[in-house]
Amino acid sequence: MTIITRFAPSPTGYLHVGGARTALFSYLFARKNKGKFILRIEDTDRERSTQESVDAIFEGMKWLGLEHDGEVPYQTKRFPQYKVKVQQLLDEGKAYYCTCSKERLDEMRDAQMKAGGKPRYDGKCRDLNLPNSDDAVVRFRNPQEGEVTFDDYVRGVITTSNKELDDLIIARPDGTPTYNFTVVIDDIDMNISHVIRGDDHINNTPRQINIYKALGADLPRFAHLPMILGDDGARLSKRHGAVGVMEYANNGYLPEAVLNYLVRLGWSYEDKELFTKDEMIELFDLKKVNKAPSAFNTSKLNWINQQYIQQADSQRLAGLLKKRLDVLNVNVPESIDLVKVVDMFKSRAVTINEMADSALFLFSDIKEYEEKAVKKVFKQSAIKPFETLIKKMSTVEDWANANLHDLIEDTVNELEVGFGKVGQPLRVALTGSSSGPANDEIMQVLGQQESIKRTENALVFLLEKLKAQGLI
Ligand code: GLU
């Protein structure tokens, strides 16, 4: 049997974390079994579906590297086929026209709810053999006896009595089909062998199985994935921050990190945390998907992203950093090599955006020194270190290959002071603050001229400050 899975989003918003996780699991299962993975756009809800959302779904899938096979079917292009199938069920007496008014249905629902029961259609039109009319819907004639059973990969055996299911509307008065019908027709026509989807659909499955049976089709296997919760235990939603996958791209996460994070939402393999895509494909097992909901954990995502940044090619990261700097309207001087900037921050940055923020001081003059740093290091004792450093920096012949650490160490030795007495003022001069990467690395990235200029500016600032205080 060829394994064929599908991801079937309704294009009513961006590709969110839950959808992306469903897509990933369907993708992995197909790839692992050398099968096919179909992306299907379920756009029958014309009011809520937008092209913008279709584009956002494609964009998200592409960013995550979840390639689908073949053409993308759109449900709105398949209306003729649904019509044929509705007619087939009508002809075979497995569906019927119903003209119950909205008022009647509403009243019935209210009364049933008041009596503590579940709202369900009472079957008034079931045996009336009504003809088609402008206000008639088509209902599926659900069996009234027996039960529906299926063995879910995640949830195990689930049995539902047909008595609990009512006669579902499969076509509206204007002839358009409803979700539970189109999804079955599509899954049959596209030979879907495994339906992997969120467990918000689990109550639809017994109804859908009855439609499969009425059409004489083989059943696929089902896997209903548990929902994803936010850090606070409530269902993951916008309230918890970024939920659209492209937001993670914009926030400076790497796609392979997000993918790795998603695969661990409800699935694990021993105590392994980091998986390449090939490893995911090799090790993924639908049977090992957790029944319990999984909780979104931003610090874990951050940790994973950090691991991937450390391993990533610097040239590639430099491209991403450039994009982020463009968004921030930061001009990168030609003298600065972004690959070197990346190498300087790679070992500690959690996201590309954070890397960009930490690197900002490199790209424009320092307009202000951090107050705390000024108090702490801009004292009389910093004059000599600045002067000596400037002198030594100016005599370096080949800056690119110079050992700039030695330059600092020589200054320390010459002045016979502690390392901090030179290193700290220099860092404030170069970065404007008292934290940041190592001075020699910063000087290497800034280049000779800029390093000298910044140190000179700091010296001028210091002398003015001391003069103003009457100290010199
Ligand atoms: N279109 C449905 C949704 O977006 C998914 C249907 C399915 O996977 O069966 O929730």
Side-chain angles (χ1 to χ4, degrees):
M1 179 179 72
T2 315
I3 302 288
I4 306 182
T5 64
R6 70 348 180 239
F7 174 51
S10 304
T12 54
Y14 40 75
L15 177 64
H16 56 83
V17 168
R21 197 264 314 250
T22 302
L24 173 62
F25 283 15
S26 304
Y27 171 89
L28 293 177
F29 188 73
R31 291 287 172 267
K32 184 185 172 81
N33 291 291
K34 311 257 176 296
K36 286 205 176 100
F37 170 64
I38 292 177
L39 171 60
R40 181 169 79 217
I41 302 292
E42 302 209 323
D43 54 351
T44 46
D45 184 345
R46 282 167 149 161
E47 261 164 45
R48 294 177 58 227
S49 303
T50 62
Q51 184 57 42
E52 207 183 338
S53 166
V54 172
D55 294 344
I57 291 165
F58 286 152
E59 189 188 18
M61 296 287 283
K62 189 164 173 220
W63 185 67
L64 289 172
L66 299 176
E67 324 85 31
H68 56 84
D69 295 305
E71 295 265 307
V72 174
Y74 287 74
Q75 289 194 323
T76 41
K77 299 208 177 115
R78 290 177 41 78
F79 279 163
Q81 169 67 351
Y82 304 135
K83 223 176 185 147
V84 168
K85 291 294 165 182
V86 170
Q87 194 56 50
Q88 179 186 328
L89 291 182
L90 282 166
D91 293 346
E92 292 172 358
K94 293 170 181 166
Y96 60 91
Y97 289 110
C98 163
T99 53
C100 287
S101 66
K102 190 175 173 301
E103 292 70 37
R104 174 173 191 271
L105 295 173
D106 285 349
E107 256 169 46
M108 187 170 68
R109 175 174 308 125
D110 288 350
Q112 284 164 340
M113 304 256 283
K114 250 188 221 136
K118 268 198 220 153
R120 57 196 304 279
Y121 180 60
D122 62 356
K124 178 167 183 276
C125 299
R126 189 175 164 108
D127 297 313
L128 298 183
N129 210 4
L130 295 173
N132 192 6
S133 58
D134 283 351
D135 57 351
V137 298
V138 179
R139 284 189 187 271
F140 174 66
R141 195 185 292 276
N142 198 80
Q144 287 176 321
E145 301 301 323
E147 51 195 24
V148 188
T149 292
F150 67 100
D151 188 3
D152 191 271
Y153 265 95
V154 181
R155 299 288 204 90
V157 176
I158 296 181
T159 302
T160 312
S161 163
N162 275 323
K163 289 205 163 49
E164 284 179 39
L165 308 173
D166 61 358
D167 291 351
L168 189 76
I169 296 176
I170 57 173
R172 304 180 185 94
D174 65 359
T176 56
T178 57
Y179 159 71
N180 274 303
F181 188 69
T182 55
V183 83
V184 172
I185 303 303
D186 286 354
D187 286 339
I188 295 171
D189 288 353
M190 294 164 203
N191 296 314
I192 302 301
S193 63
H194 291 75
V195 170
I196 301 168
R197 60 184 169 201
D199 69 0
D200 45 335
H201 285 289
I202 204 157
N203 292 334
N204 289 322
T205 305
R207 299 169 175 284
Q208 293 178 8
I209 288 177
N210 281 333
I211 301 177
Y212 275 92
K213 287 185 181 158
L215 291 164
D218 290 338
L219 290 179
R221 290 289 312 272
F222 292 92
H224 288 92
L225 309 176
M227 65 173 142
I228 302 171
L229 307 176
D231 310 68
D232 58 355
R235 191 188 190 100
L236 190 68
S237 71
K238 239 194 138 46
R239 194 160 54 79
H240 295 101
V243 286
V245 289
M246 291 317 287
E247 261 180 88
Y248 289 96
N250 296 336
N251 290 345
Y253 290 87
L254 301 180
E256 62 270 38
V258 174
L259 207 64
N260 193 141
Y261 180 71
L262 290 175
V263 85
R264 290 282 291 102
L265 280 176
W267 176 77
S268 57
Y269 180 80
E270 295 170 357
D271 52 7
K272 193 170 160 65
E273 287 293 354
L274 299 175
F275 298 83
T276 63
K277 201 163 154 202
D278 285 344
E279 284 173 330
M280 288 182 202
I281 293 172
E282 189 191 321
L283 302 172
F284 184 71
D285 184 352
L286 208 42
K287 292 198 189 93
K288 294 267 165 65
V289 172
N290 236 321
K291 278 192 196 47
S294 28
F296 198 88
N297 178 338
T298 307
S299 21
K300 184 149 166 210
L301 170 63
N302 287 345
W303 178 80
I304 293 178
N305 204 51
Q306 196 169 15
Q307 307 306 307
Y308 279 95
I309 286 184
Q310 282 170 16
Q311 293 168 18
D313 172 52
S314 300
Q315 195 82 40
R316 171 184 166 216
L317 296 181
L320 296 173
L321 179 62
K322 173 78 177 72
K323 270 199 193 147
R324 175 62 189 167
L325 293 169
D326 287 346
V327 170
L328 297 174
N329 279 325
V330 172
N331 256 330
V332 179
E334 255 176 48
S335 57
I336 291 190
D337 178 357
L338 284 182
V339 175
K340 279 191 192 154
V341 176
V342 164
D343 285 336
M344 189 159 71
F345 289 106
K346 212 172 158 176
S347 63
R348 68 196 105 198
V350 172
T351 63
I352 297 294
N353 292 16
E354 191 202 89
M355 188 187 278
D357 291 345
S358 318
L360 283 181
F361 71 88
L362 295 166
F363 309 114
S364 58
D365 290 345
I366 292 171
K367 294 182 190 72
E368 226 176 343
Y369 298 103
E370 185 188 270
E371 207 184 298
K372 183 176 86 194
V374 170
K375 269 203 201 121
K376 200 168 151 219
V377 301
F378 279 11
K379 298 181 191 150
Q380 219 139 5
S381 58
I383 299 176
K384 270 254 153 288
F386 278 150
E387 286 173 347
T388 315
L389 282 164
I390 293 165
K391 200 173 67 207
K392 288 194 188 299
M393 285 184 201
S394 310
T395 57
V396 173
E397 271 175 25
D398 178 7
W399 190 266
N401 294 310
N403 188 339
L404 299 173
H405 183 75
D406 280 357
L407 183 151
I408 300 167
E409 206 162 275
D410 288 350
T411 307
V412 166
N413 291 338
E414 195 177 306
L415 301 179
E416 296 183 333
V417 291
F419 207 88
K421 291 271 180 286
V422 174
Q424 284 179 359
L426 179 59
R427 172 166 289 116
V428 181
L430 298 173
T431 69
S433 80
S434 48
S435 60
N439 281 323
D440 53 340
E441 288 181 49
I442 301 172
M443 291 195 290
Q444 191 59 259
V445 171
L446 285 174
Q448 188 166 18
Q449 254 186 348
E450 184 66 22
S451 302
I452 295 172
K453 190 179 104 189
R454 289 190 182 200
T455 316
E456 282 173 349
N457 287 348
L459 178 58
V460 169
F461 176 87
L462 167 62
L463 293 174
E464 277 171 8
K465 181 189 168 212
L466 295 175
K467 228 183 256 163
Q469 291 173 331
L471 292 173
I472 52 170

